[in-house]
């Protein structure tokens, strides 16, 4: 459903990603793993039209995404939970979710809101609090819930476990799996926590300074001695 | 000297001024909050509102309360041309935006001189009734000014708080890129905020024209008042603008009654300098992060 064809991304003279190609099938989960600066975030930003691409093209469900503005990418059916969560701190939890549902027809918003709050009961307890007052884990739930509001067919998660307690990391993984099983969207997750990401994803792509170093099924990557040593922090 | 009658009369005059100041300041602070533009031409949109009101009310003979909103919408619509041609290029760039809007301000001011000349003109009073409530006199004109301001402030609040476009403006003000990643068309949101802002300025300009007089140079006063209100109340909030506007309007009214208009100007600017020195976030504002 998503085709990344020979895409290069540069910031000024600095090249973040070089001629990268990969594809995502409907309903599957793909993990982008690699160290800081490997280009994971840039790939998600390029899909969202936030980072400009220099070469190649990005195709989603037979339509080109490159050249679209970010809000138009969302309208094509892609949800995005940014790195650092970036909840609207001064607005309430409910209003953050409403913002996430901006593209839904108005009559559909209340039902979708109820559904998302069912996925994240903790957010329901905090519904009317300013989002800036939530804990890191709650803000991460809010960022994901907000991305889910638009009923995406592809969900992009940028570093969803960054800075979270282990219990919360595990909980977030469970919720993503549950919701995905219910709704059937595909997930592309960029994550430094490779162990967690490979458990969540069916396939993984290992990046190193903007290049694809390895790719394969998650179990194979998790057992590959080179990957284990370099990215899983084991052996 | 401080009889109840005199004090309430002064307070009433002060509240009329406050209402206009709040209207001007809210539009000013909206544009700054959403697109980070310090719009030096804000007062000129008020000036255009005054002349537009004069056109619809005096020249076309429409009812005052019909002509006023039409004038505001007309100025708002005209301002979108400038938004397209000038302002849009300067969003999120405070310094260049300030200089550009200063250019727009001067261009509009002298455009006004070319069109309408430099002599002051007045808008004939639309309401001549005078009511007496106990010892104080209330002109219908002031009732209309306060009423129009209250209705527009209430509408502004309701739109910002309870509508989809209102939420869009608030989240775009907080984090433009993340707002866009929710599917919000930030360019359209900017355009809407710009329209609301200049239309509110134009509304205030019409009321100023009605209470005082019209001239192409009349925009300076509302701009300066907007600055003072914003410094008093802190940037961004409705509450801050309301408090800032009330403090300024009432203060001016009292001081100018007892010590003359120049004393009022002196004290309001003296107060501003004191606040900038000792409480730069405004009376109710929080420090910017």
């Amino acid at each position: 459903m998503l085709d990344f064809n020979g895409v290069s991304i540069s910031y000024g003279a600095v090249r973040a990603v070089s001629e990268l190609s990969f594809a995502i099938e409907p309903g599957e989960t793909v993990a982008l793993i690699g160290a800081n600066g490997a280009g994971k975030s840039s790939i998600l930003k390029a899909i969202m039209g936030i980072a400009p691409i220099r070469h190649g093209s990005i195709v989603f469900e037979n339509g080109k995404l490159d050249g679209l503005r970010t809000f138009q990418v969302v309208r094509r059916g892609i949800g995005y939970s940014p790195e650092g969560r970036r909840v609207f701190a001064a607005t309430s939890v409910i209003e953050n979710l409403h913002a996430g549902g901006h593209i839904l027809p108005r009559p559909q918003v209340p039902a979708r809101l109820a559904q998302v709050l069912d996925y994240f009961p903790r957010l329901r307890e905090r519904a009317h609090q300013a989002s800036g007052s939530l804990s890191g884990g709650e803000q991460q739930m809010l960022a994901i819930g907000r991305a889910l509001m638009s009923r995406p067919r592809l969900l992009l998660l940028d570093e969803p476990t960054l800075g979270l307690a282990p219990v919360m990391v595990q909980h977030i993984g469970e919720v993503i799996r549950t919701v995905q099983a219910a709704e059937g969207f595909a997930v592309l997750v960029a994550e430094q926590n490779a162990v967690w990401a490979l458990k969540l994803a069916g396939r993984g792509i290992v990046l190193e300074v903007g290049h694809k170093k390895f790719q394969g099924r998650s179990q194979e990557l998790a057992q590959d001695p080179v990957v284990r040593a370099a990215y899983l922090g084991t052996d | 000297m401080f009889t109840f009658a005199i004090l309430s009369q002064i307070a009433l005059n002060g509240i009329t001024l406050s209402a206009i100041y709040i209207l001007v300041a809210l539009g000013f602070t909206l544009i700054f909050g959403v697109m980070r533009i310090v719009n030096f031409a804000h007062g000129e949109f008020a000036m255009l509102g005054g002349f537009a009101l004069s056109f619809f009310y005096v020249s076309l003979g429409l009812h005052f309360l019909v002509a006023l909103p039409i004038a505001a919408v007309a100025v708002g619509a005209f301002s979108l041309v400038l938004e397209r041609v000038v302002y849009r290029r300067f969003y999120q760039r405070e310094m260049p935006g300030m200089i550009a809007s200063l250019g727009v301000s001067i261009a509009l001011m002298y455009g006004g001189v070319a069109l309408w000349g430099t002599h002051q003109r007045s808008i004939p009073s639309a309401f001549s009734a005078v009511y007496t409530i106990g010892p104080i006199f209330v002109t219908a004109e002031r009732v209309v000014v306060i009423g129009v301001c209250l209705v527009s402030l209430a509408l502004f609040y309701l739109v910002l708080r309870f509508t989809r476009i209102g939420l869009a403006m608030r989240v775009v003000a907080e984090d433009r890129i993340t707002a866009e990643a929710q599917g919000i068309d930030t360019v359209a949101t900017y355009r809407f905020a710009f329209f609301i802002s200049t239309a509110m300025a134009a509304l205030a300009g019409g009321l100023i024209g009605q209470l005082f007089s019209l001239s192409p140079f009349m925009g300076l006063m509302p701009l300066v008042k907007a600055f003072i209100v914003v410094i008093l109340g802190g940037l961004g909030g409705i509450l801050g603008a309301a408090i800032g506007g009330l403090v300024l309007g009432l203060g001016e009214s009292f001081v100018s009654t007892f010590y003359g208009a120049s004393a009022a100007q002196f004290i309001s600017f003296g107060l501003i300098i004191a606040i900038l020195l000792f409480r730069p976030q405004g009376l109710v504002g929080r420090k910017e992060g």
Side-chain angles (χ1 to χ4, degrees), chain B residues 116-156:
Chain B
W116 301 302
T118 53
H119 66 281
Q120 295 215 336
R121 51 178 95 190
S122 57
I123 299 179
S125 215
F127 305 92
S128 51
V130 178
Y131 311 107
T132 46
I133 305 170
I136 39 175
F137 294 98
V138 184
T139 62
E141 202 172 48
R142 283 183 190 275
V143 174
V144 167
V145 169
I146 295 174
V148 165
C149 291
L150 280 181
V151 169
S152 357
L153 296 180
L155 272 177
F156 180 77

Side-chain angles (χ1 to χ4, degrees), chain A:
Chain A
M1 71 180 334
L2 181 89
D3 282 292
F4 217 74
N5 304 315
V7 174
S8 299
I9 307 164
S10 317
Y11 300 101
V14 183
R15 177 158 281 203
V17 172
S18 297
E19 294 176 23
L20 182 74
S21 299
F22 65 89
I24 299 175
E25 300 305 321
E28 76 166 336
T29 300
V30 176
L32 295 169
I33 57 183
N36 224 340
K40 309 186 296 291
S41 259
S42 301
I43 292 169
L44 302 194
K45 284 184 180 150
I47 296 172
M48 292 306 296
I50 296 170
I53 69 171
R54 292 296 154 94
H55 305 285
S57 71
I58 305 173
V59 177
F60 179 68
E61 292 175 341
N62 305 320
K64 270 179 72 164
L65 293 185
D66 39 294
L68 292 186
R69 290 187 39 216
T70 301
F71 80 95
Q72 295 168 318
V73 174
V74 179
R75 283 168 197 213
R76 290 288 178 88
I78 299 183
Y80 175 58
S81 164
E83 181 177 4
R85 333 194 212 287
R86 297 182 75 159
V87 298
F88 302 115
T91 35
S92 71
V93 168
I94 287 286
E95 286 177 326
N96 266 266
L97 294 173
H98 270 283
H102 188 84
I103 67 166
L104 291 181
R106 280 183 182 79
Q108 289 182 19
V109 172
R112 184 58 175 164
L113 185 66
Q115 213 168 9
V116 169
L117 290 174
D118 283 342
Y119 295 144
F120 299 98
R122 192 85 77 89
L123 295 182
R124 179 171 273 136
E125 292 164 25
R126 303 267 187 270
H128 298 288
Q129 288 185 16
S131 308
S133 71
L134 301 184
S135 73
E138 290 164 347
Q139 291 193 8
Q140 186 61 58
M141 293 181 197
L142 181 55
I144 297 173
R146 187 176 63 181
L148 287 173
M149 278 298 294
S150 61
R151 299 182 195 280
R153 292 184 298 284
L154 171 63
L155 177 65
L156 309 181
L157 301 173
D158 198 351
E159 302 285 1
T161 75
L162 200 68
L164 300 186
V167 181
M168 188 55 79
V169 171
Q170 200 191 341
H171 177 66
I172 298 257
E174 282 160 15
V175 176
I176 294 169
R177 240 185 305 253
T178 312
V179 180
Q180 192 182 11
E183 303 199 350
F185 49 76
V187 175
L188 178 61
V189 55
E191 183 55 64
Q192 283 198 57
N193 183 344
V195 178
W196 180 83
L198 289 178
K199 260 189 227 155
L200 183 72
R203 283 197 300 130
I205 298 168
V206 180
L207 294 164
E208 201 171 88
V209 284
H211 291 88
K212 189 157 62 179
K213 189 115 192 255
F214 305 100
Q215 69 172 333
R217 288 159 44 84
S218 290
Q219 292 117 312
E220 289 160 15
L221 285 177
Q223 266 143 37
D224 186 289
V226 184
V227 174
R228 283 177 78 91
Y231 301 100
L232 299 180
T234 47
D235 297 339

Side-chain angles (χ1 to χ4, degrees), chain B residues 53-198:
Chain B
L53 175 67
S54 168
F55 174 73
F56 289 112
Y57 170 58
V58 181
S59 310
L60 295 189
L62 296 177
H63 187 275
F64 182 81
L65 289 178
V66 177
L68 189 62
I70 292 180
V73 169
V75 172
F78 167 72
S79 80
L80 290 183
V81 178
L82 290 170
E83 193 273 344
R84 185 79 197 219
V85 179
V86 183
Y87 285 92
R88 188 175 294 181
R89 297 159 210 273
F90 297 98
Y91 289 159
Q92 315 300 333
R93 300 197 290 138
E94 288 181 27
M95 275 312 277
M98 253 188 243
I99 308 292
S101 75
L102 195 57
V104 172
S105 160
I106 295 168
L108 289 178
M109 195 188 298
Y110 286 96
V113 171
L115 274 176
W116 301 302
T118 53
H119 66 281
Q120 295 215 336
R121 51 178 95 190
S122 57
I123 299 179
S125 215
F127 305 92
S128 51
V130 178
Y131 311 107
T132 46
I133 305 170
I136 39 175
F137 294 98
V138 184
T139 62
E141 202 172 48
R142 283 183 190 275
V143 174
V144 167
V145 169
I146 295 174
V148 165
C149 291
L150 280 181
V151 169
S152 357
L153 296 180
L155 272 177
F156 180 77
Y157 174 77
L158 292 174
V159 166
L160 209 59
R161 197 91 207 113
F162 297 112
T163 66
R164 187 171 261 191
I165 183 74
L167 178 61
M169 285 194 285
R170 283 187 286 142
V171 300
V172 168
E174 259 200 64
D175 183 340
R176 189 183 68 79
I177 290 173
T178 307
E180 178 106 10
Q182 311 309 314
I184 294 170
D185 181 348
T186 52
V187 172
T189 309
Y190 284 156
R191 214 180 298 132
F192 184 79
F194 200 84
F195 175 87
I196 296 281
S197 167
T198 55

